[in-house]
Amino acid sequence: MSPLEFRAFTKQLLFIDIETVAGKADFTELPERLQKEWIRKAGRLKNDEERTEAELYPERAAIYAEFGKIIVIGLGFFHWDENDELTFRVRTFHGHEEAEVLQQFCDLIEKRYSPKLTLCAHNGREFDYPYLCRRLMVQGLKIPKPLWNPNWKRYDTPHLDTMELWKFGDYKNFTSLELLAALFEIPSSKENLSGDQVNATYYQQNDLTAIAEYCREDVVVLAQLYLRFNRFPLLPEEQIFRLA
């Protein structure tokens, strides 16, 4: 992609990452019907340590939209400043009320972007995009047309997935964002927190701010990886702006 093509394309490009936790702090807080469904679900999960369904709930529920919820959405976009220098702006929507977080995200998409919006996430086609749509439906909110069109087939979606880009058609392996960051010498977002610690950080430490900061830095890594994929240099720290 040439610099001119890159600039034109990225005007409607939004980098995203979501952080999810179990819908409740403890399995016993679930309604009885959902408890029964979790027991069925947990019975099909890999469980080498032979944990009970209740013990698996805080560890695994967050990755399933039926049993988890979104507490942070990280968003970032490229911007050219008054000196025509490329910068990156990144922020988060976060909160304890999932519906409010999702509504903020929808409002931004509808006000800031046209239907030609392209999202970019890592493992977005398997996780971020469907998770967002499912939780919007659960919360009774309208799915913004730029996010999902029912006429798209799975691999017709215009949205980008850096993991899919890296696969080059290979379907065998999951490649983490952290591994690609290490490979392309991009500073890590995992210094203070990692994905497997998010649920405990939220429910045990009550530290939503730390999770939001972690999500924000994942979006920075994602954008840097996208630059490297297109053979552009990494942005220096002074050209990355973390918005409130």
Side-chain angles (χ1 to χ4, degrees):
M1 187 183 296
S2 71
L4 286 177
E5 290 172 329
F6 175 81
R7 185 163 183 165
F9 178 71
T10 55
K11 287 182 178 179
Q12 290 294 323
L13 179 62
L14 183 65
F15 295 88
I16 72 166
D17 182 53
I18 64 174
E19 298 301 330
T20 66
V21 295
K24 301 291 183 182
D26 187 82
F27 170 75
T28 58
E29 297 179 29
L30 284 175
E32 184 178 352
R33 290 179 68 187
L34 282 179
Q35 286 187 20
K36 292 178 179 178
E37 293 303 320
W38 175 253
I39 289 171
R40 291 191 182 97
K41 182 75 172 180
R44 297 191 293 269
L45 300 178
K46 185 177 180 181
N47 186 10
D48 293 338
E49 298 180 2
E50 298 185 354
R51 295 179 182 272
T52 66
E53 292 86 355
E55 290 171 333
L56 284 173
Y57 177 76
E59 296 180 6
R60 306 280 190 89
I63 65 174
Y64 301 105
E66 300 84 1
F67 300 100
K69 69 174 183 177
I70 296 170
I71 55 169
V72 185
I73 304 176
L75 308 158
F77 60 94
F78 290 118
H79 175 76
W80 279 261
D81 65 14
E82 61 275 7
N83 299 317
D84 208 35
E85 183 175 64
L86 178 64
T87 64
F88 187 68
R89 312 292 176 91
V90 59
R91 64 169 302 177
T92 64
F93 294 134
H94 56 276
H96 302 291
E97 298 299 326
E98 182 185 50
E100 295 178 6
V101 175
L102 291 171
Q103 188 64 66
Q104 287 179 298
F105 172 67
C106 293
D107 290 345
L108 174 73
I109 286 180
E110 292 173 350
K111 292 176 183 177
R112 171 69 173 80
Y113 293 91
S114 77
K116 295 181 180 180
L117 167 71
T118 300
L119 299 175
C120 182
H122 191 75
N123 198 30
R125 287 180 173 175
E126 287 287 342
F127 187 70
D128 303 74
Y129 308 147
Y131 205 114
L132 279 164
C133 291
R134 290 165 183 160
R135 294 310 303 176
L136 282 163
M137 290 187 70
V138 170
Q139 294 293 350
L141 299 173
K142 180 181 177 182
I143 300 173
K145 193 168 184 180
L147 173 60
W148 188 257
N149 184 322
N151 294 322
W152 294 336
K153 295 181 174 64
R154 178 181 175 191
Y155 289 103
D156 289 340
T157 170
H159 302 312
L160 299 178
D161 184 332
T162 48
M163 192 174 81
E164 293 290 337
L165 293 174
W166 178 250
K167 282 183 175 182
F168 292 95
D170 173 16
Y171 296 100
K172 294 189 295 293
N173 295 309
F174 172 87
T175 308
S176 71
L177 182 63
E178 178 65 9
L179 171 54
L180 291 176
L183 185 63
F184 285 93
E185 299 182 345
I186 300 168
S188 175
S189 60
K190 316 293 186 187
E191 293 181 359
N192 299 316
L193 193 63
S194 61
D196 60 347
Q197 298 171 324
V198 168
N199 200 78
T201 301
Y202 182 71
Y203 281 116
Q204 297 176 23
Q205 301 176 27
N206 193 30
D207 197 346
L208 179 59
T209 299
I211 300 170
E213 291 173 353
Y214 163 67
C215 184
R216 184 189 65 196
E217 296 312 306
D218 259 359
V219 177
V220 173
V221 172
L222 177 66
Q224 297 280 38
L225 182 63
Y226 182 80
L227 288 173
R228 292 300 306 270
F229 277 5
N230 286 281
R231 301 189 304 280
F232 291 106
L234 299 179
L235 282 180
E237 187 63 28
E238 61 268 21
Q239 289 171 229
I240 299 172
F241 296 89
R242 294 162 175 84
L243 309 178

Coordinates of all heavy atoms in Angstrom, one line a residue, residues 26-28 30 35-45 47 50-61:
D26 N -19.6 -14.7 40.6 CA -19.5 -16.0 41.1 C -20.7 -16.8 40.4 O -21.7 -16.3 40.1 CB -19.7 -16.1 42.6 CG -19.5 -17.5 43.1 OD1 -18.3 -17.9 43.3 OD2 -20.5 -18.2 43.3
F27 N -20.4 -18.1 40.1 CA -21.4 -19.0 39.5 C -22.7 -19.0 40.2 O -23.8 -19.0 39.6 CB -20.8 -20.4 39.4 CG -21.7 -21.4 39.0 CD1 -22.1 -21.6 37.7 CD2 -22.3 -22.3 39.9 CE1 -23.0 -22.6 37.3 CE2 -23.2 -23.3 39.6 CZ -23.6 -23.4 38.2
T28 N -22.7 -18.9 41.5 CA -23.9 -19.0 42.3 C -24.8 -17.8 42.1 O -26.0 -17.8 42.4 CB -23.6 -19.2 43.8 OG1 -22.8 -18.0 44.2 CG2 -22.9 -20.4 44.1
L30 N -25.6 -16.6 39.2 CA -26.3 -16.7 37.9 C -27.8 -17.2 38.2 O -28.0 -17.9 39.1 CB -25.7 -17.8 37.0 CG -24.4 -17.4 36.3 CD1 -23.8 -18.7 35.6 CD2 -24.6 -16.3 35.3
Q35 N -27.4 -21.2 35.2 CA -26.5 -22.1 35.9 C -26.6 -23.5 35.2 O -25.5 -24.1 34.9 CB -26.9 -22.3 37.3 CG -26.6 -21.1 38.2 CD -26.9 -21.4 39.7 OE1 -27.0 -22.6 40.1 NE2 -27.0 -20.4 40.5
K36 N -27.7 -23.9 34.8 CA -27.9 -25.2 34.1 C -27.2 -25.2 32.8 O -26.5 -26.2 32.4 CB -29.4 -25.6 34.0 CG -30.1 -25.9 35.3 CD -31.5 -26.2 35.1 CE -32.3 -26.5 36.4 NZ -33.7 -26.7 36.2
E37 N -27.3 -24.1 32.1 CA -26.7 -24.0 30.8 C -25.2 -23.9 30.9 O -24.4 -24.5 30.0 CB -27.2 -22.8 30.0 CG -28.7 -22.9 29.6 CD -29.0 -24.1 28.8 OE1 -28.1 -24.4 27.9 OE2 -30.0 -24.8 29.0
W38 N -24.7 -23.3 31.9 CA -23.2 -23.2 32.1 C -22.7 -24.6 32.4 O -21.6 -25.0 32.0 CB -22.8 -22.3 33.2 CG -21.3 -22.3 33.5 CD1 -20.7 -22.9 34.5 CD2 -20.3 -21.9 32.6 NE1 -19.3 -22.8 34.4 CE2 -19.0 -22.2 33.2 CE3 -20.3 -21.3 31.3 CZ2 -17.8 -22.0 32.6 CZ3 -19.0 -21.0 30.7 CH2 -17.8 -21.3 31.4
I39 N -23.4 -25.4 33.2 CA -23.0 -26.8 33.6 C -22.9 -27.6 32.3 O -21.9 -28.3 32.1 CB -24.0 -27.4 34.6 CG1 -23.8 -26.7 35.9 CG2 -23.7 -28.9 34.7 CD1 -24.9 -27.1 36.9
R40 N -23.8 -27.4 31.4 CA -23.8 -28.1 30.1 C -22.6 -27.6 29.3 O -21.8 -28.5 28.7 CB -25.0 -27.9 29.3 CG -26.3 -28.5 29.9 CD -27.4 -28.4 28.9 NE -28.7 -29.0 29.4 CZ -29.6 -28.3 30.0 NH1 -29.5 -27.0 30.1 NH2 -30.7 -28.9 30.5
K41 N -22.4 -26.3 29.3 CA -21.2 -25.8 28.5 C -19.9 -26.3 29.1 O -19.0 -26.7 28.4 CB -21.3 -24.3 28.5 CG -20.2 -23.5 27.8 CD -20.5 -23.6 26.3 CE -19.5 -22.8 25.5 NZ -19.8 -22.9 24.0
A42 N -19.8 -26.1 30.4 CA -18.5 -26.5 31.1 C -18.2 -28.0 30.9 O -17.0 -28.4 30.8 CB -18.6 -26.2 32.5
G43 N -19.2 -28.8 30.7 CA -19.0 -30.2 30.5 C -18.3 -30.6 29.2 O -17.7 -31.6 29.1
R44 N -18.3 -29.6 28.3 CA -17.7 -29.8 27.0 C -16.3 -29.1 26.9 O -15.6 -29.2 25.9 CB -18.6 -29.3 25.9 CG -19.9 -30.1 25.8 CD -20.7 -29.7 24.5 NE -21.1 -28.3 24.5 CZ -22.3 -27.9 25.0 NH1 -23.1 -28.8 25.5 NH2 -22.6 -26.6 24.9
L45 N -15.9 -28.4 27.9 CA -14.6 -27.7 27.9 C -13.5 -28.6 28.3 O -13.6 -29.5 29.2 CB -14.7 -26.5 28.8 CG -15.8 -25.4 28.5 CD1 -15.7 -24.3 29.5 CD2 -15.6 -24.9 27.1
N47 N -10.6 -29.7 30.5 CA -10.6 -29.6 32.0 C -9.6 -30.6 32.6 O -10.0 -31.5 33.3 CB -12.0 -29.7 32.6 CG -12.0 -29.4 34.0 OD1 -11.1 -28.9 34.6 ND2 -13.2 -29.8 34.7
E50 N -9.6 -31.1 36.3 CA -10.8 -31.6 36.8 C -11.5 -30.7 37.8 O -11.9 -31.0 38.9 CB -10.6 -33.0 37.5 CG -10.1 -34.1 36.5 CD -10.0 -35.4 37.1 OE1 -10.2 -35.6 38.3 OE2 -9.7 -36.4 36.3
R51 N -11.6 -29.4 37.4 CA -12.2 -28.4 38.2 C -13.7 -28.6 38.1 O -14.3 -29.1 37.1 CB -11.8 -27.0 37.7 CG -10.4 -26.6 37.9 CD -10.1 -25.2 37.4 NE -8.7 -24.9 37.5 CZ -8.2 -24.3 38.6 NH1 -8.9 -24.1 39.7 NH2 -6.9 -24.0 38.7
T52 N -14.5 -28.1 39.1 CA -15.9 -28.2 39.0 C -16.4 -27.1 38.0 O -15.7 -26.2 37.7 CB -16.5 -27.9 40.4 OG1 -16.3 -26.6 40.8 CG2 -16.0 -28.9 41.4
E53 N -17.7 -27.2 37.6 CA -18.3 -26.2 36.8 C -18.2 -24.9 37.4 O -18.0 -23.8 36.7 CB -19.7 -26.6 36.4 CG -19.9 -27.8 35.6 CD -19.9 -29.1 36.4 OE1 -19.7 -29.1 37.6 OE2 -20.2 -30.2 35.7
A54 N -18.5 -24.8 38.7 CA -18.4 -23.5 39.4 C -17.0 -22.9 39.4 O -16.9 -21.7 39.3 CB -18.9 -23.7 40.9
E55 N -16.0 -23.8 39.5 CA -14.6 -23.3 39.5 C -14.2 -22.8 38.1 O -13.4 -21.9 38.0 CB -13.7 -24.4 40.0 CG -13.8 -24.7 41.5 CD -13.0 -25.9 41.9 OE1 -12.8 -26.8 41.0 OE2 -12.6 -26.0 43.1
L56 N -14.8 -23.4 37.1 CA -14.4 -23.0 35.7 C -15.1 -21.7 35.4 O -14.6 -21.0 34.5 CB -14.9 -24.1 34.8 CG -14.0 -25.4 34.7 CD1 -14.7 -26.4 33.8 CD2 -12.7 -25.1 34.1
Y57 N -16.2 -21.4 36.0 CA -17.0 -20.2 35.6 C -16.1 -18.9 35.6 O -16.1 -18.2 34.6 CB -18.2 -20.0 36.5 CG -19.0 -18.8 36.2 CD1 -19.8 -18.7 35.0 CD2 -18.9 -17.7 37.0 CE1 -20.5 -17.6 34.8 CE2 -19.6 -16.5 36.7 CZ -20.4 -16.5 35.6 OH -21.1 -15.4 35.3
P58 N -15.5 -18.5 36.7 CA -14.7 -17.3 36.6 C -13.5 -17.3 35.7 O -13.0 -16.3 35.3 CB -14.3 -17.0 38.1 CG -14.3 -18.4 38.7 CD -15.4 -19.1 38.0
E59 N -13.0 -18.5 35.4 CA -11.9 -18.7 34.5 C -12.2 -18.6 33.0 O -11.5 -18.1 32.2 CB -11.2 -20.0 34.8 CG -10.6 -20.1 36.2 CD -9.9 -21.4 36.4 OE1 -9.8 -22.2 35.4 OE2 -9.4 -21.7 37.5
R60 N -13.4 -19.1 32.7 CA -13.7 -19.3 31.3 C -15.0 -18.6 30.8 O -15.1 -18.4 29.5 CB -14.0 -20.8 31.0 CG -12.9 -21.8 31.5 CD -11.8 -21.9 30.5 NE -10.9 -22.9 30.8 CZ -11.0 -24.2 30.4 NH1 -12.0 -24.5 29.6 NH2 -10.1 -25.1 30.8
A61 N -15.9 -18.1 31.6 CA -17.1 -17.6 31.2 C -17.0 -16.3 30.4 O -17.8 -16.0 29.5 CB -18.0 -17.3 32.4

